[in-house]
Amino acid sequence: MYDVVVVGGNLAGTSAAISATEKGAKVALIEKNNVPHYPPHCGEGMDNITASFINFNQIPCKTNTINELIINLANKEYTIKFKNKVLITFDRYHLEKELIRKTKQQGTDLFLGNTVKTYNPPHTIILEDGTKIEGKIIIDASGINCVIGKKIGLKPKIKPMDIGVCIQSRVKTNINPNKMKAWFHKPYADYGYGWVFPIDKNHANIGLGMPGGQHIDMKKRLKEYIQHEIHSDYKILYNFYSCVPLAEPINRIVKDNILVTGDAARLANSFLGSGIANAIFSGCLAGCISTDFIKKKIKNLELYQEILRPKINRLTKVYQKRNKRFSDKNFINAYARTFSILSFGNKLFPNFFHKKIKNALGEDVDIIRKYKKTSTLF
Ligand SMILES: Cc1cc2nc3c(=O)[nH]c(=O)nc-3n(C[C@H](O)[C@H](O)[C@H](O)COP(=O)(O)OP(=O)(O)OC[C@H]3O[C@@H](n4cnc5c(N)ncnc54)[C@H](O)[C@@H]3O)c2cc1C
């Protein structure tokens, strides 16, 4: 029997496996794909604190620094300039590949290209090919599917409007590599937003994400948005559709011997759809807490829930605010006020975003340091 079995081999899952093996647990990781998703289902934008936590400078993954964000709402532009290197874009495929490689290198048994078919509580996971894997603790890192959580009643039903339905193209063109764009609401992404995330001076991820249940021809909308944003020749290299949870986090992320992490726990920000930092943080924490429990350093797994409670409360507030704005007749005015304040505040306090991100994510790194004894993932 394994000490820890991780279901899902992306950011949350590999972070959990790396942290648990490092602390001495015997770990298995099950991932339904042979290699990470290609193309990665992501805009590939991230903050600099998470980037240094992952040790980006040690892995073969190019990064690009963003200096400026231009937000458009109802044809009015709001500019936010970043004085420090707050935001980067990166090629997530290389990160995911590297995380799987590190996971294996550290001694986790990998079951790649294998889908979890069913779970017989408390210990047995059965794969599609019939293999049985037993774990004292199971970490659910299966993304929005939340396959194990669902089986034991931790996954509440999700409303269509709480699922961010996304379409994205990787576009080859000439582009300013340091300027990010976001277009909120109509005419491209009703109640959501479109993005232009440059990866380098010749490539950008251009996508749309909006609440589900709206019956919109997303492919047509994306074509219109790309044509609006790109004024030179361009070529679409690939497209994909995907989903991100825009719901409030699930209330219980621990039950018996199960810990739920990342998108499976709905830890993405429901306003922006960003979930990379929380997937890595919660995965890492789940790996540490599970191993401390196995090694009898802590008495129960509930500690995972307690540590994540402030984050869950913050994300719940974001969700409540977002929902209130949907029912607000002055939806556009409410967001216009927010963007005006952000843009004006940024002029007065150019380090505002740097400090805010540093404070929020710095706390996460401090927590990990306490349980992992290092401030980097590997
Ligand atoms: C279009 C799009 C753009 C985004 N852009 C950004 C961005 O720019 N910045 C940002 O911070 N966030 C972004 N996000 C959100 C971010 O990608 C997610 O929050 C993050 O990937 C969550 O990581 P995770 O490991 O929890 O889940 P996932 O990445 O969903 O990984 C879950 C893994 O579990 C595996 N799995 C699922 N079911 C099973 C099963 N039954 N058996 C075995 N394996 C299984 C899957 O194959 C997958 O590898 C974006 C999301 C989307 C959809």
Side-chain angles (χ1 to χ4, degrees):
M1 171 156 349
Y2 287 97
D3 292 329
V4 180
V5 175
V6 182
V7 177
N10 212 323
L11 302 182
T14 50
S15 301
I18 288 171
S19 308
T21 42
E22 193 183 82
K23 285 174 76 84
K26 189 171 180 298
V27 182
L29 179 140
I30 307 157
E31 164 56 48
K32 70 176 174 193
N33 295 306
N34 275 314
V35 286
H37 263 310
Y38 190 79
H41 290 186
C42 193
E44 300 170 294
M46 186 168 54
D47 63 276
N48 65 335
I49 306 269
T50 308
S52 54
F53 183 70
I54 313 171
N55 257 340
F56 250 129
N57 47 2
Q58 280 188 30
I59 54 180
C61 176
K62 272 199 297 185
T63 59
N64 171 49
T65 303
I66 302 298
N67 300 328
E68 194 174 339
L69 168 66
I70 302 197
I71 300 171
N72 189 303
L73 174 78
N75 275 321
K76 192 168 180 321
E77 279 193 353
Y78 306 83
T79 303
I80 293 173
K81 294 195 172 168
F82 303 113
K83 207 172 159 210
N84 290 291
K85 293 179 178 177
V86 175
L87 277 183
I88 61 154
T89 52
F90 65 107
D91 201 329
R92 183 165 157 176
Y93 176 67
H94 292 287
L95 170 68
E96 292 177 0
K97 237 172 60 177
E98 182 64 11
L99 289 177
I100 285 280
R101 196 188 68 77
K102 285 268 177 207
T103 305
K104 187 174 181 190
Q105 188 191 46
Q106 290 198 346
T108 293
D109 286 345
L110 296 181
F111 295 82
L112 300 180
N114 248 310
T115 302
V116 168
K117 193 175 162 211
T118 190
Y119 165 57
N120 293 338
H123 299 299
T124 312
I125 285 183
I126 300 168
L127 306 186
E128 239 172 18
D129 67 1
T131 310
K132 277 188 187 169
I133 300 177
E134 308 236 294
K136 291 177 193 158
I137 294 178
I138 317 284
I139 297 180
D140 187 345
S142 62
I144 198 168
N145 294 347
C146 188
V147 287
I148 305 296
K150 189 174 174 183
K151 194 86 183 134
I152 57 162
L154 287 183
K155 184 188 175 197
K157 209 166 175 325
I158 192 163
K159 289 184 272 179
M161 66 165 292
D162 288 344
I163 298 178
V165 184
C166 308
I167 179 169
Q168 183 179 287
S169 296
R170 171 64 71 89
V171 179
K172 189 168 191 298
T173 186
N174 293 325
I175 196 151
N176 179 340
N178 308 119
K179 200 184 269 191
M180 232 179 204
K181 288 184 167 183
W183 186 300
F184 276 79
H185 199 39
K186 293 182 185 222
Y188 306 111
D190 305 27
Y191 300 94
Y193 73 102
W195 60 85
V196 180
F197 286 7
I199 296 298
D200 57 35
K201 65 181 177 26
N202 296 121
H203 299 92
N205 290 332
I206 306 187
L208 302 174
M210 49 195 120
Q214 297 195 84
H215 309 293
I216 287 170
D217 182 345
M218 296 190 64
K219 206 169 170 188
K220 181 167 164 272
R221 289 282 187 90
L222 182 60
K223 193 173 170 196
E224 289 164 0
Y225 182 51
I226 294 173
Q227 282 168 350
H228 178 271
E229 291 293 348
I230 304 294
H231 305 293
S232 52
D233 287 345
Y234 70 85
K235 189 177 169 199
I236 307 278
L237 300 182
Y238 51 74
N239 293 305
F240 67 82
Y241 289 92
S242 194
C243 289
V244 62
L246 301 179
E248 61 189 317
I250 65 173
N251 194 26
R252 292 291 316 160
I253 54 173
V254 179
K255 190 178 172 192
D256 307 325
N257 60 330
I258 311 291
L259 277 70
V260 189
T261 62
D263 274 14
R266 301 181 186 167
L267 294 176
N269 178 304
S270 58
F271 172 57
L272 295 171
S274 53
I276 292 176
N278 285 342
I280 292 171
F281 168 65
S282 61
C284 203
L285 185 67
C288 292
I289 297 289
S290 308
T291 315
D292 282 354
F293 179 73
I294 296 283
K295 300 215 172 268
K296 300 193 168 34
K297 288 188 183 155
I298 56 170
K299 286 211 175 77
N300 68 54
L301 293 169
E302 196 61 27
L303 182 61
Y304 177 67
Q305 176 96 35
E306 272 168 38
I307 296 172
L308 280 173
R309 197 182 309 280
K311 190 176 284 296
I312 291 176
N313 290 347
R314 274 199 299 275
L315 288 169
T316 303
K317 276 192 192 143
V318 173
Y319 172 77
Q320 286 164 346
K321 206 164 177 181
R322 166 186 174 263
N323 266 10
K324 194 164 168 266
R325 290 200 169 162
F326 277 147
S327 51
D328 192 336
K329 285 199 193 84
N330 292 318
F331 174 84
I332 292 180
N333 290 347
Y335 276 113
R337 260 197 313 277
T338 304
F339 296 145
S340 297
I341 293 168
L342 288 179
S343 160
F344 185 64
N346 173 249
K347 279 189 193 123
L348 289 181
F349 307 105
N351 280 323
F352 176 78
F353 285 100
H354 179 67
K355 282 194 181 141
K356 198 139 175 81
I357 290 176
K358 204 170 162 196
N359 289 346
L361 298 175
E363 276 173 25
D364 292 352
V365 176
D366 287 343
I367 291 170
I368 296 298
R369 193 182 300 120
K370 183 170 167 200
Y371 292 96
K372 199 169 179 289
K373 310 290 179 224
T374 61
S375 3
T376 51
L377 182 57
F378 45 77

